[in-house]
């Protein structure tokens, strides 16, 4: 299909619904935490903004930490296929626990909430590294289609994410209700309905994988990778005298160094679900005529931009010809674009002039999400593909887990940075703190991009030829992504 194994599109669809589930929950998590409990038993937990952002950072950090354990279990014990099944079931259970109405669990709302988050974290650890690794396993070593496959796979991720913001907004508003609080009519959002939608998405993902995996993936992911490599080595009569060769160690060094810069990018980028989400809700004019744009719709902007502009970015790399940048330079460009995005957030705060009663234009947010997305396209799919190319087979899922470990650190750091907005202080104080946070992230991202740019040549040397066929890969990527984008446009 489109020049790729059909298994790619099975994994594409499985991941689409899993990401729908995750991003639907992510879009409303902070909003649910800070929403005040109404006198008639409303649906929020009533936390302060700082508490909510700190918890958000801890949760999203652990979401990317547990893949290190899940990757090891898949490599050595379960195999990737079983790990995905177990992980998906746990994630569905976690979403439905979050969806439990407060009236069902009086006095235990926070306890059940934490149990649900914990179940989600464990399930994600088993699911996330192994679905990505199986994409790489569809292709033989040196197959030029691999980078294109990861970009198509990445579009599946973002189609699911794009759907989530709109559907979850429909759920929590449609199943909400108006009530009278202190003599005024207040609309109470039903956040539990949003979490329920996320759980349904995860069930879809599991069903699709269960019904079609054997048909389109064959034996891929059934045998743990470490056992599979040992069998191949024994068949060839090879006995390793050292755990890793010099080439393998150098390639792992590249993954580690690039991972450090990845922390900086994602710590800024993940403000989208935390600080920027709160800024949208509290300080942004979301009115279009008489219609108020739901806050979670802005969470879908990133995914929509990816689906629209992935073909454009691919064609730009091709037009550059021999001057097309290597992977480290693309990472550096991603950091610069992140910094530009936060300049728009600085503009939003400046427009308000320190007056919290003046709402900023939503177009500042659109600009910020646009440049953050352009940065993500320069960094994230390239990073996933790089890990599968550079990691030794016997520890492939483990190294994918290590890659997500960097993202885990980024998410926790991002949550801590976002929490500096304060513990429910005056709105003007929160605005001043937001300005400092946005400025600090912009400066840090720009400086990091400069440093990485000057390190690029050394990192390419350590790859030992992994970038040598870069132009051929890019040419194939352009044609594949263009066909896929056209196909998705026809579907929509």
């Amino acid at each position: 299909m489109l020049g790729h194994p059909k298994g790619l599109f099975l994994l594409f669809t499985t991941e689409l619904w899993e990401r729908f589930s995750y991003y639907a929950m992510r879009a409303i998590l902070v909003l649910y935490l800070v929403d005040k409990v109404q006198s008639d038993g409303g649906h929020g937990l009533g936390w302060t903004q700082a508490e909510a952002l700190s918890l958000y950072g801890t949760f999203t950090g652990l979401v990317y930490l547990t893949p290190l354990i899940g990757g090891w279990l898949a490599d050595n014990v379960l195999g990737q296929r079983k790990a995905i099944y177990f992980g998906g079931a746990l994630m569905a259970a976690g979403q439905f626990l979050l969806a439990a109405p407060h009236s069902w669990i009086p006095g235990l709302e926070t306890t059940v909430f934490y149990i649900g988050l914990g179940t989600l974290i464990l399930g994600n650890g088993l699911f996330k590294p192994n679905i990505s690794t199986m994409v790489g396993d569809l292709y033989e070593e040196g197959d030029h289609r691999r980078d294109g496959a990861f970009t198509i796979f990445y579009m599946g991720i973002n189609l699911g994410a794009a759907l989530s913001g709109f559907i979850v907004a429909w759920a929590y508003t449609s199943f909400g209700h108006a009530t009278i609080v202190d003599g005024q009519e207040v609309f109470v959002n039903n956040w539990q309905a949003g979490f329920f939608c996320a759980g349904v998405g995860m069930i879809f993902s599991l069903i699709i994988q269960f019904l079609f995996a054997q048909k389109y993936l064959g034996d891929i992911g059934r045998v743990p990778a470490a056992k599979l490599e040992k069998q191949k080595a024994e068949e060839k009569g090879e006995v390793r005298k050292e755990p890793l060769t010099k080439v393998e160690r150098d390639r792992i060094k590249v993954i580690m160094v690039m991972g450090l810069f990845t922390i900086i990018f994602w710590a800024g980028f993940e403000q989208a679900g935390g600080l920027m989400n709160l800024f949208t809700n509290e300080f942004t004019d979301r009115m279009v005529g008489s219609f108020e744009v739901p806050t979670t719709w802005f969470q879908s902007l990133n995914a929509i931009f990816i689906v629209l502009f992935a073909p454009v970015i691919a064609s730009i790399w091709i037009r550059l010809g021999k001057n097309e940048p290597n992977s480290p330079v693309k990472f550096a460009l991603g950091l610069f674009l992140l910094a530009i995005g936060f300049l728009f957030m600085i503009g939003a705060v400046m427009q308000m002039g320190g007056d919290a009663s003046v709402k900023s234009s939503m177009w500042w947010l659109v600009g910020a999400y646009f440049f953050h997305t352009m940065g993500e396209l320069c960094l994230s799919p390239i990073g996933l593909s790089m890990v599968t190319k550079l990691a030794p087979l016997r520890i492939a899922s483990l190294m994918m887990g290590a890659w997500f470990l960097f993202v885990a650190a980024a998410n926790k750091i991002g949550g801590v940075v976002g929490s500096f907005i304060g513990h429910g202080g005056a709105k003007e104080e929160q605005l001043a703190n937001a300005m400092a946070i946005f400025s600090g992230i912009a400066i840090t991202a720009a400086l990091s991009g400069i440093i990485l740019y000057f390190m690029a040549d050394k990192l390419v040397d350590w790859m030992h030829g992994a970038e040598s066929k870069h132009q051929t890969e890019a040419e194939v990527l352009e044609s594949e992504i263009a066909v896929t984008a056209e196909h998705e446009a026809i579907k929509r």
Side-chain angles (χ1 to χ4, degrees):
M1 186 182 293
L2 302 180
H4 287 273
K6 291 181 180 179
L8 172 63
F9 296 91
L10 169 62
L11 297 174
F12 171 102
T13 309
T14 302
E15 181 71 348
L16 185 156
W17 283 108
E18 186 275 332
R19 288 292 87 184
F20 167 86
S21 173
Y22 175 77
Y23 280 100
M25 180 276 301
R26 173 186 179 269
I28 61 175
L29 179 59
V30 170
L31 301 178
Y32 167 66
L33 291 173
V34 301
D35 197 15
K36 303 298 183 188
V37 178
Q38 306 296 340
S39 58
D40 68 337
H43 296 277
L45 290 183
W47 291 17
T48 67
Q49 292 180 337
E51 290 170 342
L53 290 172
S54 180
L55 185 279
Y56 174 82
T58 301
F59 167 70
T60 52
L62 290 172
V63 157
Y64 288 100
L65 174 62
T66 49
L68 189 63
I69 301 169
W72 183 89
L73 285 172
D75 281 341
N76 294 277
V77 181
L78 296 173
Q80 293 152 352
R81 193 86 63 84
K82 286 183 180 177
I84 287 172
Y85 290 146
F86 290 145
L90 285 171
M91 291 175 75
Q95 299 284 20
F96 289 125
L97 281 170
L98 295 182
H102 289 182
S103 59
W104 292 7
I105 46 174
L108 296 174
E109 295 89 352
T110 303
T111 301
V112 172
F113 171 75
Y114 279 127
I115 294 173
L117 285 188
T119 308
L120 274 171
I121 289 164
L122 293 174
N124 187 83
L126 287 167
F127 192 102
K128 192 169 184 65
N130 297 302
I131 194 80
S132 298
T133 305
M134 286 174 72
V135 174
D137 290 343
L138 290 168
Y139 302 89
E140 297 293 333
E141 185 174 350
D143 193 325
H144 63 264
R145 297 175 298 169
R146 185 181 299 219
D147 275 1
F150 270 97
T151 304
I152 292 172
F153 179 69
Y154 205 65
M155 289 180 71
I157 291 174
N158 287 283
L159 283 170
L163 286 171
S164 66
F166 297 111
I167 293 179
V168 78
W170 165 82
Y172 72 71
T173 54
S174 296
F175 291 93
H177 64 278
T179 187
I180 303 299
V181 177
D182 297 329
Q184 293 186 336
E185 185 176 83
V186 176
F187 187 83
V188 180
N189 291 311
N190 191 333
W191 304 114
Q192 274 68 35
F195 292 128
F196 183 83
C197 279
V200 171
M202 195 65 240
I203 293 295
F204 283 163
S205 178
L206 272 175
I207 291 173
I208 290 166
Q209 183 70 14
F210 183 79
L211 291 179
F212 300 105
Q214 190 59 43
K215 180 177 180 180
Y216 293 119
L217 298 177
D219 291 330
I220 289 175
R222 292 177 66 89
V223 181
K227 294 181 181 179
L228 189 62
E229 180 161 339
K230 184 179 178 181
Q231 291 172 3
K232 290 181 179 179
E234 289 174 351
E235 290 172 2
K236 295 179 180 179
E238 296 177 353
V239 179
R240 289 189 177 273
K241 296 182 179 179
E242 58 176 340
L244 294 170
T245 66
K246 182 183 184 304
V247 170
E248 288 173 335
R249 290 197 299 270
D250 279 351
R251 287 180 169 181
I252 289 174
K253 280 194 289 187
V254 175
I255 295 174
M256 296 296 107
V257 172
M258 299 283 271
L260 294 176
F261 289 96
T262 295
I263 291 176
I264 296 167
F265 179 87
W266 289 113
F269 185 92
E270 280 299 323
Q271 299 302 321
L275 179 57
M276 289 172 67
N277 206 13
L278 288 177
F279 189 91
T280 305
N281 200 50
E282 297 287 336
F283 300 116
T284 302
D285 179 7
R286 293 180 281 115
M287 298 303 297
V288 178
S290 60
F291 174 71
E292 184 176 35
V293 179
T295 301
T296 57
W297 281 21
F298 290 88
Q299 296 294 297
S300 292
L301 282 176
N302 166 249
I304 292 169
F305 284 147
I306 283 181
V307 173
L308 292 176
F309 290 100
V312 177
I313 295 296
S315 66
I316 289 174
W317 298 146
I318 300 307
R319 292 180 186 280
L320 289 173
K322 294 180 180 180
N323 296 319
E324 181 187 355
N326 53 45
S327 294
V329 171
K330 288 180 180 178
F331 268 55
L333 179 59
L335 287 163
F336 291 135
L337 291 167
L338 179 75
I340 293 172
F342 277 105
L343 292 180
F344 279 79
M345 295 309 300
I346 292 170
V349 178
M350 291 178 66
Q351 181 186 2
M352 298 174 69
D355 185 353
S357 64
V358 177
K359 301 289 187 180
S360 66
S361 168
M362 69 177 76
W363 292 108
W364 292 111
L365 280 165
V366 174
Y369 282 120
F370 173 78
F371 281 101
H372 288 180
T373 302
M374 296 303 102
E376 183 184 6
L377 283 171
C378 292
L379 185 141
S380 189
I382 303 301
L384 291 174
S385 180
M386 181 189 70
V387 173
T388 65
K389 286 189 290 187
L390 298 180
L393 175 62
R394 63 191 179 282
I395 56 171
S397 287
L398 182 64
M399 291 310 301
M400 187 64 76
W403 184 253
F404 290 128
L405 180 61
F406 290 113
V407 184
N411 277 271
K412 179 55 185 171
I413 292 169
V416 171
V417 170
S419 70
F420 291 155
I421 193 172
H423 287 269
K427 296 291 186 182
E428 287 72 20
E429 179 185 347
Q430 292 177 20
L431 273 178
N433 292 339
M435 172 65 93
I437 294 168
F438 295 147
S439 301
I441 295 174
I443 293 169
T444 303
L447 291 176
S448 300
I450 293 171
I451 294 169
L452 180 55
Y453 177 81
F454 286 107
M455 293 178 63
D457 289 342
K458 184 62 178 176
L459 292 172
V460 170
D461 289 341
W462 283 347
M463 291 183 189
H464 293 284
E467 295 270 297
S468 59
K469 295 183 179 180
H470 196 65
Q471 178 62 25
T472 302
E473 293 171 350
E475 289 172 352
V476 175
L477 168 62
E478 181 194 32
S479 61
E480 290 168 344
I481 200 67
V483 172
T484 305
E486 181 180 356
H487 177 66
E488 292 300 334
I490 292 170
K491 280 175 62 180
R492 288 195 297 275

